[in-house]
Each structure stands twice: as structure tokens, then as C-alpha cells.
Amino acid sequence: MYVAVMGYGTVGSGVVEVLTKNHDSIVKKSLHDDIAVKYILDCRDFSAHLDSKKFIKDFNTILEDPEIDVVVETMGGIDPAFDFSLACLKKGKSVVTSNKELVAAKGLELLNAARENNANFLFEASVGGGIPIIRPISQCLAANEIEEICGILNGTTNFILSKMIKDNLSFDQSLKLAQENGYAEKDPTDDIDGHDAARKICILASLCFGNHVYPEHVYTEGITNITLADIDYASSFGSVIKLIAVAKKCSGGKIYTIVSPAIVNNASQLSGVDDVFNAVLVKGNATGDVVFYGKGAGKMPTASAVVADVIDCSNHLIHRKDFGWDASSENYVTDYLDAVLSLYVRARAKDPVKALNSLHKTFDCATVLTRKNAPADEIAFVTPAACERDLLEKIRGIDEIEILSTIRVSEC
Ligand code: HSE
């Protein structure tokens, strides 16, 4: 069986490496006598590469070659990854991708094209890198109604927050360290603003709840405003701050989904997930909580997931596999402000005594937090649980305070 790889970046080159290094054991697990990479599509010059003959620049070479059964898309982005993937599926070639942006935005169209053309569209590597999560949810947990899925889906932000929590480094210092370690990109926006995690929760939510969730419908907050003061207050509350992605079922067939920093209690399984690790907590109505944990990024872990999909495709060239979901209706995702939760608030108060009096008049049972070396005009508290919209209105109604930060308290 012949494979083509589109995009020879970090993941694409890892895929070729794994297919070469583990060639014999991979072939043994497939129904074929051989699995070989025939083409590598990349617009850059690889004439000095050992495999230079495999490098091509014209996508049509792959599309028009009937020997290519499986196409690996590791280009990233939507354009031209979407057009190329769709064209391959329409030709009956299976497509395997690690591209979360593509699956989150265009997964429904690509899954439909795969179904219509008796091919496969597989994307295990798009969430959690090397952590098996797509297949376990679709197959091993198939007997469950999944009620909620939440987790730490971005390694870069988890590394940054871990450095802030454990080493008392500022956000900027931690980001610099993440860049020096090769975790964060030069332009880290997608990670630190939460977009990468939002794409991943879209894929998981679509898979768990059966209808496509688009990134533009996921309210997303990043971690750029988190300060060491917030970290200290969270610690005094027996908690840590993590970037948490959540999707859960609501009444009326709708879902709630959000990506935002959250105060996570030390008793939660997610609280001890540090550095670049990811963890996904799935709540099934038969299994209870199931946690998937591991390295959520990196060349070889991600390539491992891609190659597993290639092997799966090699064993199901004709029969489609139903890794799918349907279209979603308008307003499928609820307004995040309707959710019931508690909020942590840090604020400036010229007269803290007066401010705390007002706070206790506003909320029956707010928890006041303290930290060492806090400025005299700073207060922090956690509200009781209520609808987020109402909480914000009440907090903004406390005249004696200037709000410096609000962070949701996680129930995960
Ligand atoms: N940049 C991502 C992360 C890896 O830090 O988790 C790819 O999704």
C-alpha cells in the first residue's frame, strides 16, 4: 500500500520517520505486504535530502495516482489543506490528519465526503498529540452517554502556568522559557489566547455529543492576564489555575462549552497535570470518570497517532469507519453567561473594610481570600455559585471595588 504525505514539517517528517523506523512491525499489523511512502508534497527544496526523489511540488501527482490509497495531511492551516483533503476523499483516497484547525472548522464536510466516497477521514492526532482519545471515545466508550468532557488541552499554556505556580516566574518569564524550550512558537498567540484549546474542544464536543461545534461558538479566554497574585490567591483556596476546556450537555439538547483559565481544586485529577502534559477527563454515564493523560504535542508522539490512523486505514480501505457527527442547529451552543458557577475576583478597594461590608451584603456566603505581601488596597474573594451573568452584574454593582481579575472556579 502506498501513502503520500502532504507537508514535511515537524509532524510530517515524524510520520515518515516512524513509518521507516518501525516499518516491519507496522506492516505486520496491516493487511498489506508493504506500506511505503511514495510521495512527500512540500513546496520547499529538499533536493539534498536522502529521499529527495519522493519530494514533489504538484498536488495533482498524488491525486491522479491510483496507487495512493492513504494521504497524510500534516500541512496545517485550512488553505490549501481543506481543498487537497476534500479532493483526495472525492477520489476515494482515505485522509489522515493531525490538523486540529482543519477538523474543527471543516470536519463535518470532510467526514461527509469520506462517507459518500467510501473512504476514511481519521484525525486521532488532532487532539492530545500522542494521547489516544478520539478512538477510545468513539469505540471504547461507545456504550456511554457522555455527559461532560473537560481537560487541559494545550501543553504550552500548561507549561507556562506550571512555571508560574511552581517557580514563581511571571507570565512573561514563563512564556520566554516556553519559547526557549521549543514549546511555544515565536508567535504564541494561538496557544496563549486559547484558540488551540478551543479547536480541540470543538473536535471532542462534536465527537462526544454528535453535532458539529465550531470554534467561533466557543467562548475563549487565554492566560495572558493571569498574574502571580492570582496564583497565590488560588493557592490559599487550595487550588491551582489551569487553562481548562469544557463541553457539557445542557437541557434541550444544547451544549455548554468554554475555554478559559479556571481555579481547579487540588483534589481534582486535573490539578496535578503539569508542564507540557495534557489530560482529558471524560464523564460517561456508565464508566464514571475516565482520564486520558500524556504528552499532548511533539514530533514523535503526534506522528505515532498519525501512523496508527494510517495502519487503521490500511485495514479498512473499502469499508468506511464511522467516526462522525452531524450538522448542528443554530444556537446549539448555549450562551456561556447562562452557566451556573462560582467566580474568583481580585479587586482594588480604597477602603477594604467598607468593600468587604458591601461584599457580604451582596453575597450571603462569599469566601474572602488572603495572600502574603498583598497591597493594603487589594481584596480577593470567591462568590457562591450562581448564573455567571447575575454574578457579574452583582460584582460590578459593588461600588467600593475596582475589579482587577475574575476567574471561573472549575467543577472538573
Ligand atoms: N501548540 C500546541 C500545544 C501543540 O502547546 O499544546 C499542538 O496542538
Side-chain angles (χ1 to χ4, degrees):
M1 188 192 81
Y2 283 114
V3 176
V5 176
M6 304 194 295
Y8 196 68
T10 307
V11 180
S13 60
V15 168
V16 176
E17 195 177 325
V18 172
L19 281 170
T20 309
K21 192 171 150 192
N22 298 343
H23 172 267
D24 294 354
S25 64
I26 287 169
V27 171
K28 263 192 199 163
K29 289 167 200 151
S30 88
L31 298 177
H32 298 263
D33 296 334
D34 195 15
I35 294 184
V37 174
K38 187 167 181 183
Y39 304 118
I40 303 170
L41 179 74
D42 200 297
C43 56
R44 293 167 296 174
D45 178 25
F46 285 96
S47 52
H49 193 282
L50 272 179
D51 274 336
S52 60
K53 286 201 180 108
K54 291 184 180 168
F55 282 87
I56 55 165
K57 290 189 169 35
D58 182 3
F59 165 67
N60 287 308
T61 308
I62 295 171
L63 192 64
E64 300 307 333
D65 186 336
E67 281 193 334
I68 297 291
D69 289 315
V70 179
V71 180
V72 171
E73 187 283 302
T74 43
M75 312 170 87
I78 298 206
D79 185 21
F82 173 63
D83 288 343
F84 287 4
S85 300
L86 188 62
C88 290
L89 291 168
K90 283 185 173 171
K91 282 264 182 186
K93 299 179 192 298
S94 289
V95 173
V96 170
T97 186
S98 59
N99 184 342
K100 61 225 91 199
E101 197 176 350
L102 178 70
V103 184
K106 300 286 187 183
L108 181 63
E109 282 162 86
L110 294 168
L111 283 161
N112 286 343
R115 271 190 206 121
E116 284 156 16
N117 295 282
N118 208 16
N120 301 304
F121 176 63
L122 300 185
F123 43 89
E124 181 64 63
S126 65
V127 181
I131 308 173
I133 181 75
I134 303 294
R135 207 169 266 91
I137 287 178
S138 321
Q139 295 178 347
C140 314
L141 296 177
N144 288 262
E145 290 281 323
I146 292 173
E147 291 155 351
E148 179 172 349
I149 183 156
C150 61
I152 295 168
L153 301 181
N154 183 268
T156 303
T157 45
N158 203 41
F159 176 85
I160 292 171
L161 291 171
S162 298
K163 288 289 154 200
M164 293 175 76
I165 294 164
K166 291 194 181 304
D167 299 340
N168 210 32
L169 299 181
S170 69
F171 172 82
D172 289 337
Q173 288 169 318
S174 304
L175 171 59
K176 193 163 169 269
L177 206 58
Q179 284 169 323
E180 283 165 8
N181 278 281
Y183 303 136
E185 305 283 341
K186 261 191 194 160
D187 176 0
T189 316
D190 267 4
D191 289 324
I192 62 177
D193 283 352
H195 303 305
D196 177 75
R199 289 170 190 140
K200 291 167 180 167
I201 198 68
C202 284
I203 298 170
L204 294 177
S206 303
L207 198 64
C208 288
F209 305 127
N211 297 93
H212 197 122
V213 178
Y214 293 91
E216 55 271 32
H217 297 149
V218 181
Y219 177 76
T220 302
E221 267 177 34
I223 62 163
T224 51
N225 293 327
I226 302 296
T227 64
L228 289 174
D230 299 318
I231 300 269
D232 283 351
Y233 280 122
S235 166
S236 79
F237 191 56
S239 304
V240 285
I241 299 176
K242 297 281 181 192
L243 183 70
I244 298 289
V246 182
K248 65 178 160 192
K249 267 189 187 161
C250 303
S251 56
K254 295 189 173 200
I255 68 150
Y256 166 76
T257 178
I258 189 167
V259 171
S260 77
I263 308 267
V264 178
N265 191 278
N266 288 338
S268 162
Q269 301 192 71
L270 299 181
S271 70
V273 176
D274 289 326
D275 299 323
V276 284
F277 282 86
N278 284 195
V280 185
L281 171 59
V282 183
K283 294 176 190 260
N285 69 347
T287 54
D289 292 2
V290 180
V291 179
F292 299 86
Y293 171 83
K295 281 192 179 158
K299 175 175 170 165
M300 297 310 263
T302 309
S304 147
V306 172
V307 173
D309 277 349
V310 171
I311 298 170
D312 200 356
C313 284
S314 79
N315 293 335
H316 300 88
L317 282 180
I318 301 172
H319 305 291
R320 71 179 168 81
K321 297 203 66 182
D322 212 351
F323 269 78
W325 54 77
D326 297 324
S328 46
S329 55
E330 219 181 307
N331 302 326
Y332 174 53
V333 174
T334 58
D335 185 338
Y336 74 96
L337 290 170
D338 289 334
V340 173
L341 41 69
S342 293
L343 286 177
Y344 151 88
V345 180
R346 183 167 59 88
R348 191 172 290 133
K350 274 191 194 140
D351 184 340
V353 175
K354 219 169 149 192
L356 289 173
N357 271 338
S358 277
L359 171 69
H360 291 305
K361 275 184 203 148
T362 309
F363 296 108
D364 284 343
C365 51
T367 307
V368 175
L369 306 179
T370 54
R371 68 173 176 116
K372 271 190 198 156
N373 304 323
D377 63 350
E378 184 181 81
I379 64 164
F381 58 90
V382 175
T383 70
C387 164
E388 179 168 345
R389 182 182 294 101
D390 296 345
L391 286 178
L392 289 172
E393 201 182 310
K394 283 186 175 177
I395 296 161
R396 288 173 187 147
I398 305 175
D399 292 334
E400 292 82 0
I401 62 171
E402 177 198 339
I403 298 169
L404 300 174
S405 69
T406 58
I407 303 176
R408 294 168 188 82
V409 177
S410 170
E411 284 175 4
C412 289

